[in-house]
Each structure stands twice: as structure tokens, then as C-alpha cells.
Amino acid sequence: MAAAAELRASRDWVAFPVIAIAISAGVLAALSRSPFTPWIAIGVLTAAPALWFAFAAQREWPIILCAAAILLPPVPFPIGDSGAHPSILIASAGLLGGLARLREWRIQRSALNASLAALIAAFALSLGFAALYSGWSIAAASAARLLLFGMGIYVYFTASQGPGEVARPQAETAARWLFGIAAAAAIFGCIDFVYQLPAPAGFGAQFVWLSSGVYRRAQGLFYDATALGNLCAFFLTMSVVAFAGRKLLPRAVSGLGIVIFLAALLLSFSRAALGAAVIACLVLAVLERKAWATRRLALGVGALAAVTVVAFLLTLPEVASTYLARLDFGSGSVATPERFFSGRLETWRAIAAFVSEHPWQVVAGIGYKTLPYTRHLGRPLIADNMYLSTLVETGVFGLAALLALNAAVLKSSFNAAKQGSFFGRWMFCFWIGEMFQMMLGDVLTFWRVLPVYFWVLAQVVHENRSGRSVR
């Protein structure tokens, strides 16, 4: 009913099917010589109702986008690092829906909005330097990655200040749906590792080297195992917040979430994401000092975590031993700082040398998302440090915008958390852990999970503005 009312309220809704058919026809024409063309046609016809609903129902559109981004595999076409992804079509439909409802947008003046705009501007301005130092093809790929990052930003604005705003009961229901979607992705990630299922169309070469063989880390349907780990850290934080007494989820469900997300997090072998989750839980313990002072809560969370870890040790002892091996610096050849940081130290030294030799290039940046592909530094480098890569790629302006964004997210979330908001506590605790993981990974490149985070942030902003919180 709500979707139908929104559709009737839009004067420009007729433009959508025309544009959608034109885009579909263009794609089919471009791929007409491909043997996959019949399957593409079937996919387009099957996806048409979902695209129509995503266009018409702006309040539900972010959840549809998150579900598609998290649960659907990429399409096996050589586009980008991992192939084209169906969620891009959902995002396009949501963008068209937002454009058709421009009169419903109410953009506010705030530090958070300004920091997001500054970050997007810094990334966009650096594209010229990407073309200058790395060539037009790499600059075009960087522009495409900027659009993917912008999906999450658009979710934030449409859900907090646009036609995608939801009331408190709808926000609670949507958050529960997101929990279920993420739990399904985490369970599949566990199955993916145990049975070593065929990788999706594209995947990062991330393996665990054991005496019994070489195993691909749990990544589920993501390109990167760290993206799965980051998503699990986010929803593990949600589960612990709910278990601590915030009644968005029943305690039994939140307890099950702790087990599921911690298990998938361990199997993803992302120690940075695991560290982020631990930090988030410690921050929550400080915020909820009175609740955590009771033995029942502390013992409950500790018992669930202990059961999961013990099961991990008993069922996969060889895999579990690799965690301990990288911490055992006393063993000499087994563990070293370089091994502990998975080769990051050598990369950081190479980038630091470039910074010292070309300070003026670093002031302006060499181009957004060019480090892994350009030979401007002698060879492609994966920084695995959001702050360092942002500085080198987008300059001082980009790094300042990123730091301002972190500060604005924490301030907005903490203000909501002080009022007892579930979303505020969830986002504040997680983002502190996320800031830690930024030191060990380029987490803002995980474009398939960012819309979830920014939707939750939108609920925080909405609660701060309305003065009503989900508790």
C-alpha cells in the first residue's frame, strides 16, 4: 500500500520503464554475440519486478539493495576485479526513484553531511591526477569505484533526509531483516570454508597454508574474505548490543547471532576484523558499565564466545593453530613482525619512501584507488591502511575529510547512544573498531557492505533529529 501511494505521488514514474527497457536493450545488444545472452535476457525479465519495486518503494529500497549486495554472487563477466554485480541494477533503480521524488528531499546542514561531501569531493578531484600519473584506463576504473562507493553515501542521504526515511517501527523491522540477511551470508561463509565451494566469478587470492593442503579463506559470495569478516564484526556488535539488554532482538536470537558471526569471523581469518569486533565489545562494556557489572550478562557473552572458540579449536585445530603461530614471536622463524602483519610492513616502507621522495605529489594525491594498479610507484601496491592510502591517493584534503568523517560519525552516534538509542550504541561501538581496522585494511573499498553501515548511520541521524530512539 505504501509503495503504491509513493508511486502515485510521483509525476515522473513513467520515465522509469522507458529508461529501464532502453538500458536492458543496450546491454543485450552489446552482448548479443555472447553465449550467455539468453541467460541475461531471462535474468532481466526475472529482475524486472524487483527493479520496479526498488524504484517505487523508496523506504524499502535500501534493504533490497543490501540483500542483493550481500546475498547475490557477481555475474561471470570480466568487468572490474570480481565481475559485474546485480546490485548495481537495484542501485540504479533506487537512484531513479530518488530523482523522481526530488521534492521530498530535505538535506540538512551538519558536520556529518559536510564531511561526507568533502570526502566524495576529494575522491572526485583526485581522478584528474589518476589520469595524469596512471593513464586514462586506470582513471576510468577509479571513477567506477568512486560510483560504487557513492552507493553507500546515497543510501545514507535517501534514508536520513530523502524519500527513504522510515518511522521507528519500520526501522526496527528493517534492522531485523538486515540481521537475518547477514546471518544467512555468515552461515554460507562457514559452509564455503568447510566444503571449499567454487569461488564466485572473481575472488581475492587469500589462502590458509596448512600441512594438509592449501585452503581458501571463508569469503562466502564476496570478492574478499576481509569484507565478510568486516560484515560479521558489524553484526556481531549488533548481537552483543541486543544481548546486553537493548530489545531490538530477543536474547536467544542475539545469542545465536554472537555464535554465527563469531564463527564466520574466525573462518574468514581476518584478524583485523576480529580485533575491530573485540574493540567494539570493549567500548560497549564501558558504555554499559552498570549492565556489564552484573555477572549474568558478562558470563552469558563470555560463555557464548568461549563455546564458539572451543568448537573452532576442536573441529579445526590445524586452522586454529595458525592464529597462535603468528603471535608466537619467541619461535623465531615461525613468527616475525612481517609475518604477523602479513607482509604489510614492506609495503608501508615502500609507500613511505615514495612519500619522502615526492612530498608535493602526496599533498595533492596521485589518484583515488590507483595504488593497487599503477606503476607510478614502481609497482602496484596494496596499502592495507585506509589512512595511508587515502593520503597518497587523494592528498591532504582527502585524509582530512576521512578524519572529519570519523569524528562526525562518532559524535552523531554518541549523542544518540547517550539517549539510549540501540542504533547509536551499535554504530558508535562498531565505528571505533572500524577506525582500528582502517589501520590494517582499505575498508571503505568494501562497497557491497557499506550500504548496510550507512543505512544504520541514517537511522542514528533520524533519531537525533526527531528526538525518538529505538531502545
Side-chain angles (χ1 to χ4, degrees):
M1 296 293 293
E6 289 184 25
L7 188 59
R8 287 193 296 270
S10 172
R11 296 182 177 181
D12 302 320
W13 64 271
V14 292
F16 174 73
V18 175
I19 296 174
I21 293 173
I23 293 175
S24 301
V27 172
L28 290 175
L31 300 171
S32 59
R33 297 182 180 180
S34 170
F36 294 102
T37 299
W39 297 106
I40 297 173
I42 294 174
V44 169
L45 293 176
T46 304
L51 295 176
W52 177 259
F53 187 74
F55 169 81
Q58 283 289 287
R59 290 184 175 87
E60 290 80 10
W61 165 76
I63 309 304
I64 300 173
L65 173 64
C66 292
I70 293 172
L71 295 178
L72 295 181
V75 179
F77 292 116
I79 301 176
D81 291 330
S82 59
H85 198 274
S87 62
I88 297 176
L89 294 177
I90 302 293
S92 301
L95 176 61
L96 290 173
L99 293 176
R101 297 165 176 80
L102 288 177
R103 294 184 178 181
E104 299 178 32
W105 288 80
R106 298 292 184 271
I107 303 299
Q108 307 292 322
R109 291 184 179 181
S110 68
L112 180 55
N113 287 355
S115 63
L116 284 169
L119 190 63
I120 287 289
F123 290 173
L125 290 173
S126 72
L127 295 178
F129 294 104
L132 176 63
Y133 295 124
S134 304
W136 288 103
S137 61
I138 291 180
S142 295
R145 293 182 179 89
L146 176 58
L147 292 177
L148 294 177
F149 174 74
M151 283 171 46
I153 306 299
Y154 182 75
V155 166
Y156 161 77
F157 278 106
T158 191
S160 63
Q161 298 148 73
E165 285 190 75
V166 295
R168 176 175 173 176
Q170 294 173 314
E172 295 178 4
T173 301
R176 296 187 186 102
W177 273 102
L178 288 175
F179 175 88
I181 291 166
I187 292 172
F188 182 80
C190 295
I191 297 172
D192 168 52
F193 179 82
V194 173
Y195 293 100
Q196 291 289 289
L197 300 175
F203 67 97
Q206 299 170 306
F207 301 97
V208 181
W209 299 78
L210 305 175
S211 57
S212 61
V214 180
Y215 301 91
R216 183 167 47 84
R217 291 162 52 181
Q219 67 181 71
L221 295 169
F222 293 99
Y223 169 78
D224 193 313
T226 309
L228 174 64
N230 191 244
L231 178 73
C232 290
F234 184 67
F235 282 96
L236 177 61
T237 305
M238 176 195 186
S239 301
V240 176
V241 173
F243 193 85
R246 304 293 160 180
K247 299 300 183 180
L248 189 69
L249 297 172
R251 180 157 286 182
V253 175
S254 59
L256 181 61
I258 292 174
V259 174
I260 291 174
F261 294 117
L262 179 56
L265 184 53
L266 290 170
L267 294 178
S268 73
F269 210 75
S270 176
R271 288 163 297 144
L274 182 61
V278 171
I279 290 173
C281 292
L282 291 176
V283 173
L284 178 63
V286 174
L287 288 179
E288 301 274 7
R289 291 184 296 274
K290 295 181 179 179
W292 284 77
T294 63
R295 294 183 179 180
R296 182 178 179 181
L297 176 59
L299 289 176
V301 175
L304 290 170
V307 167
T308 307
V309 173
V310 169
F312 175 62
L313 292 171
L314 294 177
T315 56
L316 298 167
E318 192 179 12
V319 176
S321 65
T322 57
Y323 279 94
L324 301 176
R326 296 199 177 195
L327 296 173
D328 187 11
F329 290 100
S331 59
S333 61
V334 176
T336 63
E338 188 68 37
R339 177 177 171 85
F340 176 78
F341 285 101
S342 302
R344 289 181 176 90
L345 295 182
E346 180 184 355
T347 301
W348 293 345
R349 283 192 291 266
I351 295 176
F354 175 82
V355 172
S356 63
E357 295 172 3
H358 306 85
W360 290 109
Q361 289 187 24
V362 174
V363 168
I366 65 170
Y368 174 68
K369 287 298 113 198
T370 56
L371 276 176
Y373 309 97
T374 185
R375 304 197 67 86
H376 186 61
L377 280 72
R379 59 187 174 92
L381 295 170
I382 299 177
D384 275 330
N385 185 307
M386 197 69 234
Y387 305 106
L388 185 58
S389 63
T390 301
L391 172 63
V392 175
E393 293 174 341
T394 64
V396 175
F397 178 36
L399 179 60
L402 175 60
L403 296 177
L405 173 62
N406 287 341
V409 170
L410 292 182
K411 181 181 179 181
S412 182
S413 301
F414 185 69
N415 288 340
K418 287 192 300 183
Q419 305 301 319
S421 165
F422 180 93
F423 290 118
R425 274 173 160 73
W426 178 11
M427 197 66 193
F428 179 76
C429 296
F430 169 74
W431 203 259
I432 290 182
E434 187 81 337
M435 289 167 59
F436 162 78
Q437 192 172 354
M438 286 182 184
M439 294 188 293
L440 298 169
D442 299 320
V443 296
L444 293 186
T445 63
F446 303 152
W447 64 270
R448 287 175 59 185
V449 300
L450 287 179
V452 183
Y453 307 164
F454 282 113
W455 183 87
V456 174
L457 181 61
Q459 306 317 306
V460 172
V461 171
H462 181 68
E463 288 180 350
N464 282 332
R465 188 170 63 248
S466 65
R468 299 181 61 185
S469 298
V470 176
R471 299 178 182 273

